Amino acid sequence: MIKLHDKYFKPFISAAQIDKAMQKLADDILKDVGDEIPVFVGILNGSFMVVSDFVKKYKNPCEVTFIKLASYEGVKSTEDIQRLIGLTQDLTGRTVVVLEDIIDTGNTLAEVHRIFKNEKVKSLKIATLFYKPEAYKKDFKLHYVGMEIPNKFIVGYGLDYDGLGRNLPEVYQIKDTQHMTNLVLFGPPGAGKGTQANFLKEKYNLVHISTGDVFRYNIKNETALGMLAKSYMDKGELVPDQVTIDMLNAEVEKNADANGFIFDGFPRTNAQAEALDNLMDTKDSQINAMIALEVDDEILVERLLKRGETSGRADDADEAIIRNRIKEYYQKTAILKDFYSAQDKYYGVDGVGSIEDITVRLSSVIDSL
């Protein structure tokens, strides 16, 4: 992932894929034009890389020139595009192929056609490396297309974001992470994590994904992932991280329109945290924060022993077991604290006080993200 100005972009089209698409353009045009010597015209600024690499792949003799349009100088309305730099040779009776880096709305094509109509060319053909069919609003024919792509903002290989990115040999797609809030919620046994998760999911309209609940659901309903997980558990083996990630992915997919997610019980290791980052990246999203409820050990022990009087859970009734659970929590959390602190995403929140007070503290963190 790269950052240009205030935006993040993720890898989208590799240099190898670009090279293959470029070769396709060259081969298709050569087959069509034959022995005739065409004039290839690039539209500055974006097409300079496309034209440079294209002519290296074109096997027959050709001529190359450039024009520049006002829309590439930052005019706000593409309806008023004007020709700034024109052609220097007589193109009467010549076959002209305009080489574009990308065609989306097609607003510049009207001006291109007007220019070359006045030049009395034999034929005018439009070739573009990238084409966004969802965005295209014109009726002009596109004769050669290297690659169709979604209607997402991209940079690289001649395309820029506010002046940056043209020199990149690959193409990157904008990473839209603003519409979701994704939290990893941690807390030691007895910290009230479950209670707070319920309040937060309601307040912020988030989906609470508890790893334990997800496992139980998949095993109970005998899903393919549930049966796979059970096969490991029956042998006393740890369920591989990928199986857990696949289960979480299924939950995220079920709630694709969610405002965000609260992940509870996962991750527990650096490898799992990296896997979760990768999962969210595929959704054009990210983990915004790891929030950990912080409560003094003695208060936790007191809470759990009191809970054990009514919960019926053996591990809530034995102080030695309780203290061991708390110790294990800190050992696991310490690793993840470092992981998320390195990304400036770790937030420790005081977990002592009334439920309402703790919710206010957690909300303050979330509102600041």
Side-chain angles (χ1 to χ4, degrees):
M1 189 165 62
I2 60 171
K3 183 179 182 182
L4 301 176
H5 296 299
D6 59 333
K7 304 291 185 186
Y8 286 92
F9 296 83
K10 63 180 182 177
F12 179 44
I13 305 172
S14 69
Q17 290 173 306
I18 293 172
D19 187 73
K20 183 177 179 181
M22 193 70 74
Q23 187 65 59
K24 176 181 181 294
L25 280 180
D27 292 343
D28 289 348
I29 295 173
L30 180 61
K31 181 179 179 181
D32 203 12
V33 174
D35 294 332
E36 187 176 354
I37 298 177
V39 179
F40 293 116
V41 179
I43 300 179
L44 295 172
N45 290 329
S47 69
F48 72 98
M49 289 183 76
V50 170
V51 175
S52 175
D53 286 349
F54 173 86
V55 295
K56 295 173 188 175
K57 295 184 179 298
Y58 195 77
K59 298 177 181 178
N60 282 8
C62 63
E63 296 179 22
V64 181
T65 191
F66 288 91
I67 61 173
K68 191 169 185 177
L69 302 177
S71 61
Y72 291 87
E73 289 297 310
V75 294
K76 294 182 179 179
S77 173
T78 53
E79 301 300 324
D80 299 321
I81 294 171
Q82 296 179 356
R83 178 179 175 186
L84 293 182
I85 302 174
L87 303 165
T88 58
Q89 72 263 49
D90 182 9
L91 295 178
T92 302
R94 300 292 301 275
T95 292
V96 173
V97 181
V98 173
L99 294 174
E100 274 277 42
D101 52 347
I102 187 168
I103 291 179
D104 40 34
T105 61
N107 286 339
T108 61
L109 290 184
E111 180 64 11
V112 167
H113 276 267
R114 184 191 67 78
I115 290 171
F116 288 102
K117 181 179 180 181
N118 294 338
E119 295 292 333
K120 299 178 181 178
V121 300
K122 175 184 174 182
S123 67
L124 176 66
K125 298 181 182 296
I126 306 298
T128 182
L129 177 59
F130 302 122
Y131 170 50
K132 297 180 178 179
E134 295 172 23
Y136 192 58
K137 306 299 182 185
K138 302 297 181 181
D139 294 324
F140 301 111
K141 180 178 180 180
L142 307 182
H143 300 82
Y144 311 103
V145 173
M147 183 184 302
E148 292 189 4
I149 61 174
N151 189 22
K152 293 277 191 176
F153 184 64
I154 58 175
V155 298
Y157 204 71
L159 298 160
D160 75 302
Y161 169 51
D162 199 13
L164 297 183
R166 292 192 192 278
N167 61 314
L168 298 168
E170 307 89 9
V171 170
Y172 291 76
Q173 185 182 95
I174 194 167
K175 182 176 173 60
D176 181 11
T177 60
Q178 302 306 311
H179 63 292
M180 297 181 75
T181 299
N182 301 306
L183 311 171
V184 171
L185 186 61
F186 264 75
K193 178 166 57 74
T195 299
Q196 292 300 327
N198 285 329
F199 279 111
L200 295 176
K201 75 175 184 180
E202 294 297 329
K203 180 174 182 178
Y204 294 97
N205 194 23
L206 304 177
V207 175
H208 179 206
I209 298 181
S210 164
T211 311
D213 290 345
V214 171
F215 264 80
R216 284 186 286 273
Y217 170 84
N218 279 273
I219 292 173
K220 179 182 178 180
N221 290 277
E222 297 185 344
T223 67
L225 288 171
M227 297 305 291
L228 181 59
K230 189 173 185 300
S231 70
Y232 286 98
M233 296 164 67
D234 288 345
K235 292 183 288 186
E237 299 176 2
L238 292 175
V239 177
D241 288 347
Q242 190 57 52
V243 176
T244 306
I245 280 290
D246 288 344
M247 287 186 184
L248 296 181
N249 180 53
E251 291 301 310
V252 171
E253 285 294 312
K254 288 179 188 176
N255 301 277
D257 296 329
N259 287 337
F261 299 90
I262 299 174
F263 292 97
D264 177 359
F266 191 92
R268 294 187 180 277
T269 66
N270 272 5
Q272 291 178 353
E274 290 173 359
L276 183 58
D277 277 355
N278 291 336
L279 169 62
M280 299 313 295
D281 186 62
T282 66
K283 314 300 180 186
D284 276 346
S285 193
Q286 64 178 342
I287 296 299
N288 299 94
M290 172 189 174
I291 303 178
L293 290 170
E294 299 174 343
V295 182
D296 182 79
D297 290 2
E298 297 308 313
I299 295 177
L300 292 173
V301 171
E302 181 181 341
R303 285 182 183 177
L304 290 170
L305 286 173
K306 186 174 182 180
R307 188 174 77 180
E309 295 174 2
T310 57
S311 69
R313 289 178 52 172
D315 56 354
D316 283 347
D318 189 313
E319 183 173 336
I321 293 177
I322 290 172
R323 291 189 181 278
N324 188 59
R325 287 166 60 198
I326 295 171
K327 180 180 178 181
E328 285 185 1
Y329 165 81
Y330 286 124
Q331 289 174 340
K332 293 174 181 176
T333 307
I335 298 172
L336 292 167
K337 180 178 180 179
D338 292 342
F339 180 90
Y340 286 108
S341 292
Q343 300 180 23
D344 293 323
K345 293 180 178 180
Y346 177 83
Y347 298 86
V349 173
D350 183 4
V352 179
S354 68
I355 292 175
E356 293 78 10
D357 287 344
I358 298 169
T359 303
V360 169
R361 293 171 201 152
L362 290 169
S363 298
S364 178
V365 170
I366 296 170
D367 291 341
S368 72
L369 298 176

